[in-house]
Amino acid sequence: MTKRIKRHKEANSAMPTKEDTRDSLPNLAPLLLAEIVNQCSSGISVCDVNGKIIYGNQQFKTRYNLSPESYVQQFFINTFNDISIDDILDRVDTETSLHLVETKSSDQSDWIILRVSKIVYNDEIMLLFLVESLTSTIINHLRVNIKLETIVDHLPVLIAHVDQQDRYLFANRTYETFFNCPLENVIGNSVENLIGSDAYAERKTYIQRVKQGHSVIFDHTFFVDDDIRQLQLKLVPGESGQEDYYIFAQDVTELRSFQKKLEFQAYHDSLTGLTNRTFFIKSLNGILSRNQQNTGLLFIDLDGLKIANDNYGHDSGDELLKRFADILKHTLRPQDIVSRLAGDEFTILIANLSNPTHDLEEVCQRIQGALPATMNIEGFDEERWLAIADSAMYKVKRHGKGGYNIEPTWDIADLNESFQQESIE
């Protein structure tokens, strides 16, 4: 450090004045050179090895209030809180230029980038500061790229750049989490080695398309640590024209599962699990649009549901509907479309009948043959309690107003008898 200070002092004592520097520049008149530098959109300053500014162009003067005793340390406070002028001198000895990010002290939203280089003039060492505003439109792309890598690494998306031989040139940190391996094992590795030969073979068609210049989007299922994950991948051609491409992949396992649940809910009856009226109409329209022959349609009405609801409660009626739906599903073929339209109404679409009239008659007989004469519904829930109280209330009304009736027991046999008078057909 003592040697450094001594060198600084020697350099400072021999430092030429601003006028001496201008007059000694070859080939160009000083005023012309100054005008050229002043036209530069960047701020430019030159300081000695102690940081004392010996020159600033017009842009730099406009941005900072220069005085004859100004030092770079007083203008770039954040930078010199972390490093010293000696640190900068050491680093520019080994680097062509040094890039630093700084804010103007009076305006923390005004970001600038400093490019510091070493210049030697008449055997004297000086530092050249080139100042660019990161908020200017001229270097807007630079502002974006300063922290781009950090931003990309924190996105919950797999992002990669792959060369024409399907080797990873770049991958963000999300690859480490998803594939549970260091990033060093990804960069330089091939796509086939990372995801496996089988998965690569399934994606090869899409890879060939992107190498031909087409963007492609597709879903792919992976096994990661004994877990099934579904990714939506987008492959985008690179700019080089050398069959490189970019990979953008998002884990959509939960999203696809949620979509399937929504689709099931949209097309299925929540009580019986059968397809609903919407799905039935969609299927029927599809058959009619294809003019499909040898197709039959059955419309079924379940008798006795109202008696079950009124006498035993709606839970008993719901249980009756579910059991009837199970009978239909187990009696028919898997490809037959059984739907519950509403209430006690059901439909069945049966395609590919060899003899429609005979086959439909046989189906009807098979359904009726599978129906039991009676169904025992277990349990005694709140709906049945309401049914008991409702029955007691109507007994009072039959004998006039202003009375009451208490039912200490519930004669299930009476209700069974009334229910069995209307059979399920």
Side-chain angles (χ1 to χ4, degrees):
M1 181 59 69
T2 303
K3 183 178 180 182
R4 169 73 73 187
I5 293 175
K6 182 178 180 181
R7 189 183 74 177
H8 288 181
K9 289 182 177 179
E10 292 175 352
N12 189 41
S13 63
M15 183 64 59
T17 64
K18 179 169 67 176
E19 289 74 15
D20 293 336
T21 303
R22 288 180 177 177
D23 293 340
S24 60
L25 290 171
N27 301 326
L28 289 176
L31 292 179
L32 177 58
L33 179 61
E35 183 63 26
I36 292 173
V37 177
N38 283 333
Q39 292 298 319
C40 180
S41 61
S42 304
I44 298 174
S45 69
V46 179
C47 71
D48 62 20
V49 292
N50 293 316
K52 184 178 181 180
I53 298 176
I54 60 177
Y55 173 77
N57 73 340
Q58 189 60 45
Q59 291 289 341
F60 194 89
K61 291 178 181 178
T62 301
R63 187 177 185 89
Y64 303 100
N65 186 19
L66 292 183
S67 68
E69 296 298 323
S70 294
Y71 286 78
V72 291
Q73 291 94 324
Q74 71 190 74
F75 299 122
F76 309 129
I77 297 175
N78 290 337
T79 295
F80 287 102
N81 279 339
D82 298 327
I83 60 176
S84 66
I85 195 75
D86 289 325
D87 294 329
I88 292 179
L89 284 165
D90 287 335
R91 292 179 63 177
V92 295
D93 278 340
T94 58
E95 303 176 34
T96 305
S97 62
L98 178 64
H99 290 79
L100 304 166
V101 177
E102 175 69 47
T103 60
K104 188 176 177 180
S105 58
S106 61
D107 185 1
Q108 291 297 317
S109 65
D110 188 7
W111 288 80
I112 59 175
I113 185 168
L114 305 176
R115 188 173 69 184
V116 188
S117 304
K118 182 178 73 173
I119 57 176
V120 179
Y121 183 68
N122 287 341
D123 295 327
E124 297 295 336
I125 298 174
M126 292 175 279
L127 292 176
L128 173 67
F129 282 77
L130 184 66
V131 183
E132 290 278 15
S133 173
L134 286 179
T135 56
S136 69
T137 56
I138 298 176
I139 57 168
N140 185 54
H141 291 297
L142 180 59
R143 177 176 179 242
V144 173
N145 290 330
I146 290 297
K147 296 295 183 181
L148 183 59
E149 186 172 351
T150 301
I151 295 172
V152 169
D153 281 339
H154 285 82
L155 290 175
V157 179
L158 297 169
I159 301 176
H161 186 197
V162 182
D163 66 12
Q164 67 271 24
Q165 296 180 347
D166 299 329
R167 295 174 302 189
Y168 288 97
L169 300 174
F170 168 83
N172 67 341
R173 292 287 177 184
T174 312
Y175 269 80
E176 291 184 326
T177 305
F178 188 84
F179 288 100
N180 194 26
C181 69
L183 196 59
E184 292 75 15
N185 294 353
V186 178
I187 307 300
N189 199 356
S190 68
V191 175
E192 183 175 4
N193 286 339
L194 185 66
I195 68 174
S197 299
D198 293 339
Y200 177 77
E202 293 179 17
R203 296 170 60 181
K204 197 164 186 179
T205 301
Y206 300 107
I207 293 175
Q208 290 172 345
R209 282 186 54 79
V210 74
K211 288 183 177 182
Q212 295 169 358
H214 305 286
S215 295
V216 292
I217 300 177
F218 59 96
D219 281 7
H220 193 86
T221 302
F222 288 89
F223 287 92
V224 180
D225 295 334
D226 298 327
D227 188 21
I228 299 178
R229 309 301 298 176
Q230 192 166 6
L231 292 183
Q232 182 186 66
L233 293 102
K234 182 175 184 179
L235 308 185
V236 179
E239 300 91 346
S240 68
Q242 300 297 318
E243 296 186 347
D244 63 315
Y245 56 94
Y246 297 98
I247 298 176
F248 302 91
Q250 183 176 6
D251 190 339
V252 293
T253 307
E254 286 76 16
L255 177 61
R256 293 292 183 262
S257 176
F258 182 66
Q259 288 175 335
K260 289 180 180 178
K261 289 180 181 178
L262 288 180
E263 184 177 354
F264 185 88
Q265 292 173 2
Y267 289 122
H268 288 78
D269 174 50
S270 60
L271 177 64
T272 63
L274 299 177
T275 55
N276 59 14
R277 183 184 187 90
T278 302
F279 187 85
F280 165 72
I281 296 298
K282 181 179 179 181
S283 302
L284 182 58
N285 286 334
I287 291 175
L288 296 176
S289 64
R290 295 191 299 270
N291 195 24
Q292 189 169 335
Q293 302 295 320
N294 300 329
T295 299
L297 169 61
L298 299 180
F299 192 102
I300 301 174
D301 180 84
L302 179 61
D303 293 334
L305 180 62
K306 186 177 185 305
I307 295 177
N309 286 331
D310 292 344
N311 294 336
Y312 295 99
H314 287 277
D315 284 347
S316 296
D318 290 346
E319 182 64 25
L320 183 63
L321 287 169
K322 288 190 286 187
R323 293 191 186 183
F324 181 65
D326 288 338
I327 291 172
L328 292 179
K329 285 187 290 187
H330 288 91
T331 304
L332 299 166
R333 302 173 301 178
Q335 64 267 33
D336 296 332
I337 301 174
V338 184
S339 305
R340 181 191 176 201
L341 296 190
D344 56 3
E345 296 177 344
F346 296 79
T347 58
I348 304 175
L349 272 174
I350 306 175
N352 301 320
L353 298 173
S354 57
N355 187 340
T357 302
H358 176 271
D359 293 343
L360 288 175
E361 184 176 351
E362 182 181 332
V363 170
C364 292
Q365 292 173 354
R366 192 161 65 245
I367 293 173
Q368 287 188 326
L371 293 174
T374 60
M375 288 187 182
N376 294 321
I377 308 295
E378 301 297 333
F380 201 73
D381 56 23
E382 67 279 0
E383 290 284 350
R384 299 186 191 184
W385 277 96
L386 287 173
I388 294 171
D390 184 64
S391 176
M393 183 267 297
Y394 273 103
K395 287 183 179 180
V396 174
K397 292 183 70 174
R398 285 197 295 268
H399 294 86
K401 299 180 180 180
Y404 62 89
N405 178 41
I406 297 176
E407 293 282 345
T409 59
W410 181 236
D411 194 351
I412 299 295
D414 292 341
L415 288 178
N416 283 339
E417 182 179 354
S418 63
F419 177 69
Q420 291 177 17
Q421 289 177 358
E422 293 195 31
S423 60
I424 301 173
E425 298 179 0

